[in-house]
């Protein structure tokens, strides 16, 4: 989604801003624009156009001097993808320029009143009201900073924005309310950015802005040092939040891979290993989650877990819901963050709200966290991007440590989120009270490889959530083996590629799974439609006969997740139902199970593991299938049309 960049310092600003915009490309965008101010000639240069940065740098005039520049990648919300709607936007007098990420919800009312006062608008965007509003306040005699503050108070919605006024050419202004914006502080130079990715171009030290804060960066005179001041336009006290970004630039390389998406899929074992590193106490069947230690006491009192997330992260949450209830026996619900606060959820100080987000910036998930906090719930984040807004808003958290994810479609984040949730579940279940070193827990006396023996003991007191040492150890030992088992699945990558190519002409797909693999079916279908634009839908295999089966014919294939687990036989019955209607079936099953060979059209094998951990393996062929099929169709897999990586508007 929109990316914003601003540079002010002593270097040529434009090349830095262009490079920084390239680093934000992964967020998804459809237009690009830059402004540079040449202090010597006192001239503003502005270039903007729809399309990609690569075309922009070929066609736009980018040889301009100047030590101040702002840049923007637009992901259209208000108004089509046109040059007029690309940012920056400016006022009637051509002096005040703004780039914006977010939505100004009350823009129409403001626009109407400004039009009545004679302001002329050039675009259909919501953003354009901001420079005109500042201009209007200046006309009324306000000082520039006051005019900015008043305007920011009036606009409602979400925003991160940069403002440049050529009457104050030494100043660059950044402001945020529910939109991401950070300020990198270099040596006498500053860089604003939507996320940490471009910051390392000039700085390691960052300032995280909070909602309602506006920062004025002043370049100073020729002798003076550049400086910044932060104020609150909402009147709260400002406590400056500093941080350090030690982001590795080389992570942005594709290495030997043609696309980030396939690189990130192949990184899933490595990423998972990083998620687990230092967090497993295998001997004790426990997990060490440093980020949760300070809230441990409160965690012990929670009675219900609510997970909030969007997209792929919401499917990781659904997998978590199954094992939280089965193994930790805590009532668990999953809410799509976009629905959460509008349905008046019943939560209180005994509720743990777990926000799951790769970017840590998703507007709906952030809004859900704020809602939960207002209602007194304890909030924790399962977030990948360190220092992101959600990570800083929650009470405590567990980072995913998946490494940077650049492809718009999330892959390695999904598996690391599930792993984080396993660690959290064990943290809650095992550590709840004194555990039995002998492993002779009353609850889980036995288990088998399919994990179907999480036996419920009705006599146990409802609040005594205690998982046996044996069970805790078993799950963690098996989790620790998953990266190795994932690598076994990758040995079949070529076979999966051939399958994807075989089915590439199909216009529709149905993804089916039961229990732990129902969310995997959702993830597989989402991945396919995101990157190949082929229609795919998923449903629990048992639901198929309540509607989706009507779609099945020889041209409508089904991808069925059928590992040998507690629901295997039932899933096989569903496969039979599809075959009886001449539907083609690709099945994912457990290695060693030959039974499906005769029944289905194609089989993909995954290694045996605990039932609750199968999603970590069964999703790999689905990620590969979506990628290879999209490639076969010539799609831009890293930047699929209409999608954004970081969805910062509701
Ligand atoms: C966008 C991305 C998805 C992602 C979802 C949630 O839609 O394209 O890949 O799953 O946002 O993002 P988050 O960063 O909160 O995990």
């Amino acid at each position: 989604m929109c990316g914003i960049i601003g540079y002010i310092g002593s270097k040529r600003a434009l090349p830095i801003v262009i490079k920084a915009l390239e680093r934000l490309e992964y967020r998804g965008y459809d237009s690009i624009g830059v402004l540079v101010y040449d202090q010597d000639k006192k001239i503003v240069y502005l270039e903007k156009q729809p399309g990609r940065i690569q075309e922009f740098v070929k066609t736009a005039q980018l040889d301009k001097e100047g030590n101040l520049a702002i840049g923007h990648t637009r992901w259209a919300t208000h108004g089509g993808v046109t040059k007029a709607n690309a940012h920056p936007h400016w006022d009637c007098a051509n002096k005040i320029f703004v780039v914006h990420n977010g939505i100004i919800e009350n823009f129409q009312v403001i626009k109407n009143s400004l039009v009545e006062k004679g302001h002329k608008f050039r675009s259909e965007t919501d953003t354009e009201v901001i420079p005109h509003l500042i201009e209007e306040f200046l006309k009324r005699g306000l000082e520039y900073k006051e005019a900015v503050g008043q305007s920011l108070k009036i606009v409602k919605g979400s925003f991160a924005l940069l403002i440049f006024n050529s009457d104050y050419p030494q100043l660059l202004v950044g402001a945020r309310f529910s939109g991401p914006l950070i300020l990198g502080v270099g040596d006498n130079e500053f860089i604003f950015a939507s996320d940490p990715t471009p910051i390392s171009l000039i700085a390691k030290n960052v300032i995280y802005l909070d909602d309602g804060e506006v920062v004025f960066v002043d370049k100073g005179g020729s002798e003076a040092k550049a400086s910044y001041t932060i104020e609150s336009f909402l009147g709260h006290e400002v406590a400056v939040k500093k941080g350090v970004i030690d982001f590795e630039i080389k992570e942005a390389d594709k290495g030997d891979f043609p696309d980030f998406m396939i690189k990130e899929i192949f990184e899933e074992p490595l990423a998972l290993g990083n998620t687990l590193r230092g967090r497993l106490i295998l001997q004790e069947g426990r997990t060490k989650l440093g980020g949760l230690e300070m809230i441990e006491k409160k965690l012990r009192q929670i009675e219900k877990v609510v997970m909030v997330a969007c997209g792929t992260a919401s499917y990781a949450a659904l997998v978590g819901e199954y094992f939280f209830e089965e193994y930790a026996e805590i009532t668990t619900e999953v809410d799509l963050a976009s629905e959460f606060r509008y349905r008046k959820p019943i939560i209180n100080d005994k509720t743990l709200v777990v926000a799951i987000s790769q970017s840590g910036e998703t507007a709906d998930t952030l809004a859900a966290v704020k809602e939960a906090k207002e209602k007194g719930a304890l909030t924790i984040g399962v977030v990948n991007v360190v220092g992101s807004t959600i990570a800083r808003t929650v009470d405590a958290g567990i980072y995913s440590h998946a490494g940077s994810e650049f492809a718009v479609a999330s892959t390695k984040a999904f598996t690391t989120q599930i792993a984080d949730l396993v660690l959290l579940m064990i943290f809650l279940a095992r550590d709840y009270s004194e555990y039995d070193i002998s492993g002779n827990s009353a609850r889980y006396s036995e288990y088998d490889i399919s994990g179907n023996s999480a036996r419920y003991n009705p006599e146990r007191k409802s609040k005594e959530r205690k998982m046996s040492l044996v069970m805790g150890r078993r799950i963690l030992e098996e989790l620790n083996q998953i990266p190795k088992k994932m690598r076994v699945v990758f040995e079949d990558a070529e076979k999966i590629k051939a399958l994807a190519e075989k089915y590439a002409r199909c216009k529709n797909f149905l993804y089916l799974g039961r229990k732990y693999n129902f969310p995997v079916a959702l993830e597989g279908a989402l991945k396919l439609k995101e990157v190949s634009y082929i229609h795919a839908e998923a449903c629990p295999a048992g639901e198929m006969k309540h509607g989706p089966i009507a779609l099945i014919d020889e041209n409508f294939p089904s991808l069925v997740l059928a590992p040998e687990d507690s629901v295997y036989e039932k899933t096989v019955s569903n496969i039979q139902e599809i075959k009886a209607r001449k539907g083609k079936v690709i099945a994912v099953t457990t290695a060693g199970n030959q039974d499906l060979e005769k029944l289905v059209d194609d089989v993909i094998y995954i290694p045996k593991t605990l039932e609750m951990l199968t999603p970590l393996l069964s999703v790999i062929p689905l990620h590969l299938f979506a990628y290879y099929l999209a490639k076969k169709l010539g799609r831009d897999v890293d930047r699929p049309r209409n999608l954004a990586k970081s969805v910062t508007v509701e």
Side-chain angles (χ1 to χ4, degrees):
M1 208 149 263
C2 299
I4 60 183
I5 291 290
Y7 174 85
I8 183 165
S10 49
K11 298 188 184 121
R12 252 192 85 207
L14 202 46
I16 296 173
V17 163
I18 296 285
K19 211 161 180 44
L21 286 173
E22 280 170 355
R23 294 232 181 136
L24 292 183
E25 269 198 293
Y26 78 98
R27 295 164 66 89
Y29 70 103
D30 46 54
S31 315
I32 171 161
V34 293
L35 169 154
V36 59
Y37 182 72
D38 186 329
Q39 289 86 348
D40 296 335
K41 295 187 185 151
K42 302 200 176 355
I43 296 175
V44 170
Y45 295 102
L46 195 142
E47 287 274 2
K48 54 183 191 168
Q49 55 182 250
R52 291 279 155 89
I53 296 180
Q54 291 70 22
E55 294 126 45
F56 184 75
V57 292
K58 278 187 214 146
T59 52
Q61 292 252 304
L62 298 174
D63 54 349
K64 308 299 177 199
E65 297 298 324
N67 308 131
L68 182 151
I70 56 179
H72 188 263
T73 44
R74 175 176 188 245
W75 188 85
T77 59
H78 294 59
V81 180
T82 63
K83 179 171 178 165
N85 290 334
H87 298 214
H89 294 286
W90 61 95
D91 63 335
C92 296
N94 304 335
K95 287 184 172 178
I96 304 165
F97 299 85
V98 172
V99 290
H100 166 222
N101 167 207
I103 289 179
I104 307 299
E105 286 166 2
N106 57 346
F107 88 98
Q108 198 59 58
V109 182
I110 300 172
K111 186 169 177 175
N112 294 347
S113 114
L114 288 167
V115 168
E116 263 177 37
K117 291 182 177 68
H119 287 261
K120 298 265 178 298
F121 281 75
R122 305 172 183 89
S123 77
E124 304 158 277
T125 65
D126 51 339
T127 305
E128 201 184 345
V129 297
I130 300 167
H132 288 279
L133 198 53
I134 298 172
E135 180 179 41
E136 185 60 29
F137 279 119
L138 287 171
K139 268 197 222 158
R140 291 187 200 171
L142 263 62
E143 290 294 320
Y144 177 45
K145 285 188 178 179
E146 274 180 298
V148 169
Q150 282 303 323
S151 305
L152 295 174
K153 260 187 217 164
I154 287 174
V155 291
K156 298 271 170 290
S158 64
F159 54 82
L161 43 91
L162 297 181
I163 309 163
F164 172 70
N165 181 344
S166 57
D167 279 346
Y168 297 82
Q170 80 289 2
L171 269 191
L172 186 56
V173 184
R176 69 163 284 180
F177 186 87
S178 279
L181 186 65
I182 50 179
L183 175 66
V185 183
D187 185 14
N188 217 24
E189 57 183 349
F190 291 87
I191 185 165
F192 282 102
S194 300
D195 69 39
T197 330
I199 293 286
S200 62
L201 283 171
I202 70 144
K204 267 191 182 308
N205 295 321
V206 291
I207 309 279
Y208 294 109
L209 297 176
D210 263 346
D211 280 356
E213 290 179 353
V214 53
V215 51
F216 298 91
V217 178
D218 193 333
K219 192 170 177 300
S222 51
E223 298 300 308
K225 262 195 113 40
S227 61
Y228 67 89
T229 50
I230 304 178
E231 294 171 16
S232 161
F233 55 86
L234 297 180
H236 67 257
E237 208 158 294
V238 174
V240 180
K241 279 159 222 74
K242 297 186 176 174
V244 176
I245 303 281
D246 44 13
F247 180 77
E248 281 286 322
I249 301 174
K250 66 176 190 300
E251 276 196 73
D253 292 343
K254 288 178 196 159
D256 294 335
F257 293 92
D259 308 280
F260 281 114
M261 183 177 174
I262 190 69
K263 174 175 183 263
E264 288 159 10
I265 295 172
F266 271 86
E267 277 172 0
E268 291 193 55
L270 180 81
L272 190 63
N274 289 338
T275 306
L276 304 184
R277 183 162 307 125
R279 288 167 159 178
L280 310 182
I281 310 172
L282 291 173
Q283 271 304 310
E284 297 175 21
R286 286 194 303 126
T287 54
K288 180 173 166 49
L289 299 171
L292 302 188
E293 275 162 16
M294 61 187 182
I295 58 156
E296 194 163 347
K297 209 167 152 206
K298 282 192 188 161
L299 270 179
R300 302 296 168 217
Q301 286 154 11
I302 59 119
E303 289 171 1
K304 182 171 112 174
V305 174
V306 177
M307 300 189 194
V308 288
C310 299
T312 284
S314 75
Y315 303 147
L318 281 175
V319 175
E321 180 184 27
Y322 281 88
F323 57 66
F324 266 66
E325 296 205 324
E326 182 168 0
Y327 289 89
E329 289 186 37
I330 302 174
T331 306
T332 305
E333 290 168 13
V334 175
D335 254 296
L336 286 170
S338 52
E339 287 297 312
F340 179 69
R341 61 181 166 153
Y342 299 111
R343 68 167 189 85
K344 307 242 179 297
I346 298 170
I347 50 176
N348 55 36
D349 60 354
K350 296 279 184 295
T351 313
L352 172 67
V353 172
V354 184
I356 306 164
S357 172
Q358 188 287 127
S359 63
E361 301 293 350
T362 303
D364 286 317
T365 311
L366 177 61
V369 170
K370 289 181 180 167
E371 174 84 10
K373 286 185 91 164
E374 257 169 45
K375 292 201 151 120
L378 181 65
T379 56
I380 66 172
V382 169
V383 171
N384 192 35
V385 177
V386 176
S388 54
T389 310
I390 293 172
R392 288 181 294 111
T393 307
V394 288
D395 296 306
I398 318 168
Y399 279 116
S400 306
H401 296 311
S404 300
E405 200 182 60
F406 289 100
V408 164
S410 203
T411 53
K412 61 177 176 171
F414 177 73
T415 32
T416 56
Q417 284 159 351
I418 293 173
D420 261 354
L421 292 175
V422 175
L423 301 179
L424 175 62
M425 182 276 286
I426 301 232
F427 189 87
L428 294 174
R430 269 289 290 149
D431 287 1
Y432 202 80
S433 55
E434 289 294 303
Y435 38 86
D436 181 356
I437 287 297
S438 69
N440 298 326
S441 158
R443 285 178 60 208
Y444 304 115
S445 50
E446 287 170 46
Y447 59 90
D448 60 25
I449 191 74
S450 64
N452 299 331
S453 57
R455 289 190 186 160
Y456 178 61
N457 176 357
E459 279 163 29
R460 189 178 50 81
K461 288 189 218 102
S462 66
K463 281 196 178 176
E464 185 197 322
R465 295 185 192 109
K466 187 173 155 191
M467 176 187 283
S468 75
L469 169 69
V470 174
M471 181 56 87
R473 226 187 238 167
R474 181 75 190 99
I475 293 172
L476 292 180
E477 273 164 5
E478 190 54 30
L479 183 61
N480 209 20
Q481 295 303 311
I482 295 291
K484 205 166 75 195
K485 294 189 177 182
M486 278 176 165
R487 290 193 177 94
V488 174
V489 184
F490 283 111
E491 287 169 13
D492 276 345
E494 281 302 314
K495 179 182 161 192
I496 296 165
K497 182 178 180 196
L499 265 184
E501 290 174 355
K502 172 176 163 188
Y503 286 90
R505 282 212 215 126
C506 297
K507 300 277 178 268
N508 302 283
F509 281 86
L510 182 62
Y511 282 67
L512 299 169
R514 281 175 180 264
K515 205 174 168 184
Y516 285 104
N517 280 287
F518 160 52
V520 179
L522 289 166
E523 165 64 2
L526 179 72
K527 215 65 2 176
L528 187 69
K529 62 189 145 194
E530 277 180 305
V531 296
S532 73
Y533 319 146
I534 289 175
H535 167 244
E537 59 179 84
C539 80
E543 271 296 297
M544 182 184 63
K545 53 188 154 308
H546 299 295
I549 199 167
L551 299 167
I552 297 295
D553 63 20
E554 60 275 24
N555 300 315
F556 199 129
S558 302
L559 220 148
V560 187
L561 295 148
E564 283 186 306
D565 59 10
S566 61
V567 285
Y568 173 71
E569 277 80 17
K570 298 203 183 300
T571 309
V572 172
S573 302
N574 299 128
I575 293 176
Q576 298 277 13
E577 288 156 9
I578 299 169
K579 291 311 298 175
R581 283 148 189 94
K582 299 195 167 52
K584 300 252 184 319
V585 173
I586 307 166
V588 177
T589 193
T590 313
N593 171 27
Q594 303 297 315
D595 293 357
L596 293 182
E597 291 278 352
K598 283 192 216 100
L599 180 60
V600 304
D601 300 85
D602 294 284
V603 192
I604 302 166
Y605 292 100
I606 57 168
K608 209 174 176 79
T609 186
L610 289 176
E611 179 175 15
M612 63 169 281
L613 299 179
T614 49
L616 295 169
L617 299 176
S618 60
V619 77
I620 304 283
L622 273 48
H623 282 166
L624 289 170
F625 187 79
Y627 170 80
Y628 288 126
L629 201 150
K631 285 297 278 187
K632 176 75 184 165
L633 298 179
R635 308 296 190 223
D636 183 349
V637 286
D638 284 345
R639 286 189 290 272
R641 69 182 181 203
N642 306 340
L643 296 180
K645 176 103 192 121
S646 191
V647 180
T648 47
V649 296
E650 274 198 62

